[in-house]
Amino acid sequence: MTSILGELEIIEKNFAERLSGAASSDELQQVKVAFLGKKGSLTSFLKKLGSLPTEERPAAGEAINSLRDAMEQRLASKKTQIEEAESAEEERKNRLDVTLPPRSRMWGGIHPVAQLTQDVVEILAGLGFSVALGPEIEDDFHNFEALNIPASHPARDMQDTFYFPDGKLLRTHTSPVQVRSMLRFGAPIRIVCPGKVYRRDSDPTHSPMFHQLEGLLVEKDISVADMKGCLEALMEALFGRSLKARYRASYFPFTEPSLELDIECVECSGKNPSCRICKGTGWLEVAGLGMVHPTVLRYGGIDPQVYNGFAWGVGLDRLAMLKYKLTDLRVLFEGNVPYLLSGRAL
Amino acid sequence: MLISWNMLNDIISIPASLEEVAERLTLTGCEVESIEYPCRQLKDVRIALIEKLEKHPEKDLLFVAAVNDGIGTAVVVTAAPNLSAGDRVPYGRPGAVLADGSVLGTRSFGSVESQGMLLSAEELGVPEAADEFGILRLSPDAPVGEDAKKWLGLDDAVLDLSITPNRGDLLSLLGVAREVYALFPGTEWKNDPAQTPAPAEPKEWPSEFRGITLEDDGCRKYCLGLATGLVPGVSPLRVRIALSFLGMRPISNMVDATNLAMLTLGQPTHAFDAGRLAAPEITVRPAVQGETIRTLDGKSHSLQDTDLLITSGGNPIGIAGVMGGENSEILPETRSVYIESASFDAIRVSRTSRRLGINSEAAFRYARTVDSALAEIALNYIANLLKEWGSAQSAYVIRSASSERKDQVTVSITGKMLQKILLTGDLDEASQILQRLGLKEIAAEEGKRTFNVPSWRPDITIEEDLLEEVGRIRGYNETMEPRLPQVLYGRGDIGSVTRLKGDIRRTLLSRGYVELVNYSFLSPSFVKLLRLPENDRRARPLELANPLSGEQSVMRTILLPGLLRSAEQTSLAGWKSPVMVFELGRVFLPLEEGGHEEIERIAGLVYGGRDPRLPYGPQEADDLFSLKGDILALAGSRHVSLQFVQGEEPFGHGGQTAGIEKDGRKVGYLLRLKPSIERDLDCAPLYAFELDLEPFEKDVLPSFRESSQFPPVYRDISLFVPSESPMEDVVRHMREEAGELLRNVRLFDIYVGKGVPEGHRSLAFSLAYQRDDKTLTDSEVDGVHACVRKKLEALGYILR
Ligand SMILES: [Zn+2]
């Protein structure tokens, strides 16, 4: 009996050695076969059991079985260990360089003016203004006459106009949409009209085509203070912070009184006397505005005794330049792909 | 409009600094664009008396002067030939600074050491004020030892004001003085030029003059002055300096006097040589169609019957309010002049000057309305100047003719409107403001005041004009807090077009495109580039009558050229990666019946770039089908379905052009550009699409369908399809045959090559059959599928 136990101990010791030496599933299988296979050492040992004295057999059998159970258990746990290691190795081999570029296309490039127009329109929708659109090729009536700018009025000098041979013209401002909208919808009305406008201007700081946004509100008992409130709400939402505002009296034929709005310089807030954006004045001219002239209301079919309101115009290109800190207006209309892509985060 | 701060202070006393005045003018509607100090750097220049003047002992061309500048005597060398002992001149000692910033020192000329310099007009910073070559000689009354900068008015500041077109009255010193008077209570008039008295001279006709006839109501008032015994010469130095600061070149005493009158009062005047008139009379009449006149600038003009002419003895001598005629121009030998000071119709002057392209100072002012009350005053002003300067023996107003209707404009302002617009009910304050502006209160009722409007404010005609005056002078900043309109409104509607553009923009940006905004004008050469035939209406763009350049002379009829230009330019600039661009914008198309339509479009362009290498292999490159995916994505973002059919475009590749349809109507194209155009632009391949926005405009809700609870059964079909047969036809035939049961058809393989008959391609589809009410059995599916196969065979397709 003692000798049997001694032999089992040797088998177990051998097994432990072989098992710890097994590094792959194949080697593990070999170990299994060597000890537990048909001709394995333990199996062979079991066959010897019959040669033992009867009274020793049960104890020897028990010892062998318990050793086999232990071996199987250790084989299984070793197997899991090896498989995990092998899988990890396989995954390491399939390692990808995650810094490679994506296969699909990158995000494109927004146009600052298009983006800004959308932002402004959304902000104003929140204040109850709906979008109205109008033609870019206009007639004299809507672009001038109905806006209280009769022929030969010196105010026509303010806007050098592109004409067509039939007398039609490229609108010089988005204001004609005011008149069209009043005639169509009547009062009360709150509209904004974004769009392209054209002036025959070859100055290097001006483009013959640019973008304006016209706002119009006609209701009852509207004051200059209401106009200030709307414009300041727009500027605050657009630039994401409250900006000081300054109003200067001005002149537009279609408003009376007429004003201009300056906002605090978004670059230096008036703190830099050599600021490139505000030229050291601390102020940026951003909008022309005023109470709608009674003549214009009448042209729009609205009774100025009952209703009044205000209108304003902002240069969207200029606002885009201020918001996105752009320095050149004309580059925006030159189809400059590298420039337009330069704003994208990569 | 340039205004001299010194001159302004000569006529009013202002209880405020220059900066305060500028700030206030800017806020009240008269923007001060700049404040210039023309001789800012000039320093320590004194008036000196030349006590002795001798030739330089060694140098022939130089003189040595002993000058006394009140501090003491100094020796100074000069090359000026125009000096003599006893002259008074500007002198700078060593340390003095010239207008250009240079500092004077001591310098040796041979044996003589020169201390500082005697100065010319140019060195003082006023080259145009010189009346002779050399050192600037001052008048005998120039006080020796005095600061020359101050005494000559070189310490002046010049304000550049931007005057709005409604305020013609501000185009003068007088107008600005009136404005400042209104802005700063406490301002006093010192010397109101509008009160210039008439010179004490005879008031009757000179015997030889026959009179003034007004034959056209474009001239309401015509005054004439007469100056005789003219002494040719220059105007006083201080006047010449002031004129040059105000942007007017000093010319002669006569011309300078009329210019000074215009700058001071705003009234343009014109001097005719009395001896050169065809007859001693003036008639103002409309021009005869085709009549010609040669103006002062030497140009001839052909006139129309709407132009207003000044004539004498039947001959034109001037275009009213625009420019005088050459035939009556004053000459150096002129000894007597008639001076015209008139009131002409703003619109008539404006039309004529615009048509003839003459932008004279006079026309600019008349187009903005000149106060007719100034006509005689300007003549008085000029007559006084000529006499004060000793430039004429006699000068006076001889006669005026007038058909003026003196309609006094009266306007009222109500407390109600003040409250409504400016949120103030203070009529007394409003009245005070208006009165300081020169309006006269003629009635004060409960809640209402009525005013007479002065002649110089023709822009004030209605209550809103008074509100504006009160508003701008009270200011809009501190007087009221901003607020939002009291009536609450729901959210506004940005509208379907804006929503649509937003959807498209987001879709295309996420698919890698760059958004462009191109000019709406094109060069007409795009028609040729795109091979547009004459009968294509896109080949007949609207032409501008007055384009800035040929490059921008017609309106675009198609968005593609702008995108092509961007690809071409980008690649020329050295960009090698692919270019993917899109634009949302309008095209302008002529209509058969005349006129035009404006159509909103979306167009995209993809250019593979100069360097087509890609990290994941060539299958990654864009082609017609990747653009098709982009188009379907943007259609998908609007829940719109589109069809693609084999198509044709003049600029499209003969075999790779698709027409895009919605509900059977063509809405755009998708194509590769014609290879010859790719060669013209040296860019290939170029893929493009362009679509009308209108079909996408309606906001459509997606419609969902409940899916069957029973699993679909799949069967594959692979078949040979002739190359010219569209895949969609095959799918359509399958669907027609299988009906309801066929839920989905998916193409999973396209193969051309070995084993496929010539002129064919092999297409393989996976078909999904499904029912909503039960699981399909294999035999049911096999039955339907067999019918599909049979149908395709019957149609001539070769099944595999
Ligand atoms: Zn700044």
Side-chain angles (χ1 to χ4, degrees):
Chain A
M1 184 65 199
T2 330
S3 70
I4 291 172
L5 292 179
E7 277 181 58
L8 282 180
E9 237 171 73
I10 293 167
I11 290 174
E12 189 178 4
K13 204 174 148 232
N14 286 343
F15 174 76
E17 269 170 24
R18 291 280 306 273
L19 189 67
S20 71
S24 68
S25 300
D26 287 351
E27 283 171 30
L28 192 67
Q29 186 60 27
Q30 284 165 21
V31 175
K32 189 176 178 180
V33 171
F35 290 85
L36 300 174
K38 276 185 183 147
K39 293 174 182 167
S41 6
L42 193 65
T43 317
S44 317
F45 198 81
L46 200 59
K47 285 175 186 161
K48 288 185 194 165
L49 205 62
S51 61
L52 286 182
T54 321
E55 67 278 13
E56 289 184 9
R57 280 180 202 168
E62 200 177 318
I64 293 167
N65 279 335
S66 111
L67 178 58
R68 191 180 54 203
D69 287 351
M71 285 164 85
E72 275 175 352
Q73 209 176 336
R74 288 175 68 184
L75 275 168
S77 101
K78 181 76 179 181
K79 188 174 181 227
T80 312
Q81 203 185 331
I82 287 178
E83 277 173 0
E84 273 172 12
E86 279 176 349
S87 169
E89 178 57 25
E90 185 66 21
E91 289 166 32
R92 254 194 303 281
K93 277 190 201 151
N94 287 316
R95 177 180 180 277
L96 290 181
D97 176 0
V98 298
T99 66
L100 288 176
R103 195 196 309 278
S104 64
R105 300 159 176 167
M106 308 285 245
W107 175 257
I110 58 162
H111 194 281
V113 177
Q115 181 63 49
L116 185 117
T117 306
Q118 215 172 325
D119 294 349
V120 171
V121 160
E122 291 286 355
I123 293 168
L124 290 167
L127 292 172
F129 289 85
S130 292
V131 169
L133 299 171
E136 291 174 23
I137 297 182
E138 264 294 1
D139 52 32
D140 191 272
F141 175 78
H142 289 95
N143 195 73
F144 290 124
E145 198 80 31
L147 293 167
N148 200 27
I149 318 174
S152 294
H153 192 283
R156 290 212 180 185
D157 290 347
M158 294 161 94
Q159 307 181 352
D160 209 350
T161 312
F162 284 111
Y163 283 97
F164 294 95
D166 63 358
K168 288 251 171 54
L169 50 89
L170 283 173
R171 65 179 177 194
T172 56
H173 42 195
T174 40
S175 314
V177 188
Q178 276 187 32
V179 182
R180 291 182 177 276
S181 302
M182 283 191 281
L183 286 170
R184 191 159 157 217
F185 304 112
I189 186 171
R190 283 190 195 186
I191 51 156
V192 284
C193 330
K196 292 190 169 97
V197 300
Y198 304 85
R199 297 206 189 152
R200 206 175 167 283
D201 216 333
S202 52
D203 181 323
T205 62
H206 290 84
S207 158
M209 180 189 87
F210 54 103
H211 298 79
Q212 261 192 357
L213 176 129
E214 191 86 3
L216 173 73
L217 179 150
V218 179
E219 279 157 33
K220 284 180 181 169
D221 287 322
I222 296 299
S223 75
V224 171
D226 298 313
M227 171 165 71
K228 287 172 62 167
C230 280
L231 265 291
E232 287 176 37
L234 167 62
M235 293 301 158
E236 181 171 343
L238 188 60
F239 288 99
R241 64 193 164 103
S242 163
L243 293 165
K244 265 188 287 174
R246 176 178 88 162
Y247 297 86
R248 283 181 288 110
S250 188
Y251 167 73
F252 305 105
F254 31 94
T255 50
E256 183 90 56
S258 301
L259 291 78
E260 275 177 87
L261 167 62
D262 296 342
I263 55 167
E264 163 193 339
C265 177
V266 294
E267 185 72 30
C268 76
S269 296
K271 293 186 185 106
N272 177 6
S274 52
C275 174
R276 180 179 59 84
I277 307 288
C278 65
K279 311 226 159 43
T281 62
W283 295 107
L284 301 168
E285 196 178 311
V286 289
L289 54 153
M291 307 305 288
V292 182
H293 197 287
T295 303
V296 176
L297 289 175
R298 276 190 287 269
Y299 271 119
I302 291 174
D303 182 356
Q305 303 287 3
V306 181
Y307 292 101
N308 79 323
F310 57 83
W312 78 87
V314 292
L316 295 170
D317 315 87
R318 175 158 167 79
L319 287 179
M321 291 177 75
L322 293 175
K323 178 159 179 174
Y324 300 110
K325 304 194 188 307
L326 316 176
T327 50
D328 188 353
L329 165 68
R330 297 208 294 188
V331 72
L332 293 176
F333 308 132
E334 283 167 358
N336 190 327
V337 172
Y339 180 79
L340 293 167
L341 275 175
S342 66
R344 148 180 96 165
L346 288 180
Chain B
M1 177 73 198
L2 300 177
I3 290 290
S4 150
W5 178 244
N6 280 350
M7 285 168 76
L8 188 63
N9 282 281
D10 284 345
I11 64 174
I12 46 176
S13 67
I14 309 167
S17 69
L18 170 59
E19 289 69 26
E20 287 165 337
V21 170
E23 165 90 11
R24 200 82 176 92
L25 282 169
T26 295
L27 286 175
T28 52
C30 183
E31 193 180 353
V32 178
E33 293 191 335
S34 68
I35 301 173
E36 300 285 343
Y37 296 84
C39 304
R40 183 194 281 274
Q41 304 203 73
L42 190 71
K43 207 180 133 197
D44 292 340
V45 174
R46 290 170 186 283
I47 298 170
L49 174 70
I50 301 179
E51 292 179 328
K52 207 166 84 183
L53 188 78
E54 291 170 341
K55 285 206 168 243
H56 190 281
E58 299 117 34
K59 305 199 182 265
D60 269 359
L61 296 170
L62 298 181
F63 300 91
V64 180
V67 297
N68 183 342
D69 66 353
I71 297 173
T73 308
V75 171
V76 58
V77 174
T78 176
N82 65 328
L83 298 178
S84 36
D87 281 347
R88 281 149 207 253
V89 292
Y91 165 64
R93 283 185 173 253
V97 185
L98 302 187
D100 65 2
S102 48
V103 181
L104 296 182
T106 307
R107 199 176 147 193
S108 293
F109 294 86
S111 60
V112 185
E113 185 159 274
S114 176
Q115 298 166 288
M117 275 171 79
L118 304 183
L119 303 175
S120 67
E122 186 167 1
E123 284 151 346
L124 294 173
V126 284
E128 292 184 329
D131 56 337
E132 61 183 359
F133 179 76
I135 299 301
L136 186 69
R137 290 188 297 158
L138 309 178
S139 54
D141 63 342
V144 172
E146 196 90 341
D147 181 352
K149 182 170 180 176
K150 189 160 180 7
W151 192 75
L152 288 170
L154 297 170
D155 58 346
D156 208 354
V158 178
L159 292 88
D160 189 356
L161 308 183
S162 167
I163 308 293
T164 54
N166 59 324
R167 293 297 304 274
D169 64 303
L170 291 178
L171 294 169
S172 68
L173 183 67
L174 170 64
V176 174
R178 284 172 172 155
E179 184 78 1
V180 172
Y181 178 86
L183 295 179
F184 291 92
T187 302
E188 301 284 347
W189 284 100
K190 277 156 62 177
N191 185 14
D192 183 353
Q195 306 297 327
T196 305
E201 291 280 355
K203 294 282 191 295
E204 67 273 16
W205 293 116
S207 53
E208 73 277 13
F209 191 72
R210 292 212 301 267
I212 300 163
T213 317
L214 303 185
E215 291 181 355
D216 186 315
D217 64 4
C219 177
R220 293 281 186 198
K221 187 172 179 186
Y222 195 97
C223 302
L224 211 56
L226 176 63
T228 57
L230 290 187
V231 182
V234 295
S235 58
L237 179 58
R238 282 191 65 138
V239 171
R240 301 202 305 272
I241 289 172
L243 285 174
S244 73
F245 283 170
L246 299 177
M248 291 233 156
R249 199 162 54 84
I251 294 171
S252 68
N253 47 15
M254 188 62 229
V255 175
D256 291 358
T258 58
N259 280 339
L260 191 59
M262 182 174 72
L263 293 175
T264 304
L265 296 161
Q267 171 71 54
T269 59
H270 179 71
F272 299 106
D273 183 333
R276 295 178 73 199
L277 294 194
E281 67 90 28
I282 297 278
T283 299
V284 184
R285 62 162 170 82
V288 178
Q289 191 76 28
E291 196 169 3
T292 60
I293 183 169
R294 204 174 157 85
T295 43
L296 283 177
D297 54 8
K299 291 186 184 135
S300 285
H301 303 279
S302 173
L303 302 175
Q304 297 181 357
D305 57 10
T306 49
D307 298 330
L308 193 55
L309 271 186
I310 314 300
T311 65
S312 177
N315 293 339
I317 55 169
I319 306 171
V322 178
M323 194 173 270
E326 199 181 49
N327 57 4
S328 53
E329 184 186 6
I330 55 170
L331 303 169
E333 57 272 26
T334 300
R335 291 295 171 269
S336 68
V337 294
Y338 288 123
I339 307 163
E340 164 197 290
S341 181
S343 171
F344 299 119
D345 181 67
I347 291 173
R348 295 279 292 280
V349 172
S350 162
R351 283 197 180 140
T352 299
S353 73
R354 258 171 219 253
R355 199 189 75 246
L356 301 178
I358 304 176
N359 303 311
S360 62
E361 290 273 349
F364 184 80
R365 285 178 165 77
Y366 276 119
R368 283 155 182 75
T369 308
V370 174
D371 177 7
S372 64
L374 291 170
E376 291 100 336
I377 295 166
L379 291 179
N380 291 341
Y381 189 85
I382 292 167
N384 287 337
L385 287 180
L386 291 176
K387 288 172 72 180
E388 185 189 321
W389 300 346
S391 304
Q393 276 173 9
S394 145
Y396 55 99
V397 179
I398 58 166
R399 183 72 186 195
S400 65
S402 170
S403 63
E404 210 176 12
R405 294 185 313 270
K406 293 239 178 207
D407 294 337
Q408 175 60 54
V409 176
T410 301
V411 187
S412 302
I413 188 167
T414 59
K416 195 174 141 244
M417 280 290 273
L418 267 177
Q419 186 63 48
K420 177 157 122 179
I421 306 296
L422 301 175
L423 307 181
T424 168
D426 193 341
L427 268 174
D428 290 333
E429 182 200 16
S431 176
Q432 275 165 24
I433 287 171
L434 294 171
Q435 292 190 56
R436 280 201 81 84
L437 279 162
L439 286 89
K440 206 172 142 211
E441 186 175 288
I442 54 167
E445 297 154 56
E446 182 62 35
K448 182 178 171 186
R449 304 289 170 89
T450 303
F451 299 87
N452 277 346
V453 178
S455 59
W456 63 85
R457 291 300 303 271
D459 58 311
I460 297 178
T461 56
I462 56 174
E463 183 174 13
E464 281 77 4
D465 296 320
L466 295 185
L467 286 167
E468 175 165 73
E469 295 305 305
V470 174
R472 74 185 180 89
I473 293 197
R474 289 180 83 233
Y476 299 113
N477 295 303
E478 282 81 33
T479 55
M480 62 184 103
E481 285 299 314
R483 67 176 194 197
L484 286 174
Q486 311 289 297
V487 179
L488 283 175
Y489 246 62
R491 196 184 151 76
D493 179 11
I494 62 168
S496 55
V497 173
T498 312
R499 261 192 302 279
L500 160 62
K501 287 184 172 179
D503 287 344
I504 290 180
R505 181 168 290 130
R506 271 187 298 277
T507 303
L508 290 179
L509 285 175
S510 72
R511 295 181 81 91
Y513 286 78
V514 176
E515 180 166 18
L516 303 185
V517 176
N518 286 304
Y519 289 113
S520 305
F521 344 93
L522 289 174
S523 155
S525 64
F526 85 91
V527 173
K528 216 173 127 195
L529 174 72
L530 296 186
R531 279 68 167 162
L532 296 173
E534 261 176 58
N535 62 1
D536 190 321
R537 66 175 179 148
R538 292 172 297 189
R540 297 189 305 275
L542 304 177
E543 291 171 23
L544 286 169
N546 57 341
L548 276 175
S549 71
E551 283 300 298
Q552 301 186 333
S553 61
V554 301
M555 300 305 288
R556 62 185 178 187
T557 56
I558 177 167
L559 296 180
L560 180 61
L563 302 181
L564 285 173
R565 186 172 163 273
S566 164
E568 190 189 10
Q569 300 279 319
T570 301
S571 133
L572 279 177
W575 178 267
K576 289 194 163 181
S577 312
V579 175
M580 305 184 67
V581 288
F582 77 97
E583 179 170 12
L584 282 157
R586 293 185 188 176
V587 297
F588 305 83
L589 285 164
L591 291 171
E592 287 306 327
E593 62 272 24
H596 69 277
E597 54 182 340
E598 285 181 28
I599 299 174
E600 295 272 7
R601 287 263 178 85
I602 165 71
L605 180 86
V606 174
Y607 164 43
R610 283 266 183 276
D611 183 351
R613 292 175 296 179
L614 290 163
Y616 303 111
Q619 70 274 21
E620 201 194 337
D622 283 299
D623 60 13
L624 202 74
F625 297 106
S626 64
L627 270 80
K628 183 172 179 179
D630 299 333
I631 296 168
L632 289 173
L634 73 85
S637 74
R638 296 294 294 174
H639 315 297
V640 165
S641 67
L642 295 176
Q643 297 81 46
F644 291 74
V645 298
Q646 221 65 37
E648 257 181 66
E649 282 291 352
F651 42 89
H653 187 293
Q656 301 181 16
T657 295
I660 304 175
E661 294 180 351
K662 175 174 181 277
D663 306 326
R665 192 162 67 87
K666 186 175 176 191
V667 296
Y669 62 77
L670 162 66
L671 48 79
R672 176 172 176 174
L673 268 96
K674 222 174 183 32
S676 62
I677 298 177
E678 292 179 340
R679 281 194 296 276
D680 287 353
L681 299 171
D682 193 21
C683 293
L686 286 166
Y687 296 100
F689 67 87
E690 186 158 347
L691 293 159
D692 287 349
L693 284 194
E694 191 270 325
F696 302 90
E697 221 174 86
K698 224 174 91 192
D699 295 316
V700 180
L701 285 179
S703 59
F704 292 90
R705 175 197 151 110
E706 219 161 286
S707 64
S708 169
Q709 303 171 25
F710 304 98
V713 180
Y714 294 94
R715 292 288 185 275
D716 288 354
I717 286 185
S718 98
L719 69 173
F720 297 135
V721 178
S723 306
E724 68 275 11
S725 298
M727 180 213 69
E728 279 190 354
D729 283 1
V730 180
V731 174
R732 185 164 44 83
H733 295 314
M734 293 180 193
R735 288 187 184 283
E736 276 167 10
E737 187 60 27
E740 268 281 274
L741 290 184
L742 182 55
R743 289 287 157 86
N744 190 29
V745 180
R746 186 170 67 88
L747 177 76
F748 65 85
D749 188 54
I750 310 167
Y751 175 70
V752 182
K754 206 173 157 224
V756 179
E758 184 70 23
H760 286 65
R761 60 213 155 116
S762 161
L763 300 180
F765 299 92
S766 164
L767 286 70
Y769 294 98
Q770 196 177 28
R771 281 181 74 129
D772 289 340
D773 54 350
K774 65 180 187 104
T775 307
L776 277 170
T777 63
D778 276 350
S779 65
E780 269 177 296
V781 173
D782 289 341
V784 182
H785 195 62
C787 292
V788 170
R789 292 180 64 94
K790 209 178 282 169
K791 171 73 189 262
L792 293 174
E793 263 175 340
L795 288 164
Y797 296 109
I798 306 159
L799 271 71
R800 302 174 69 192

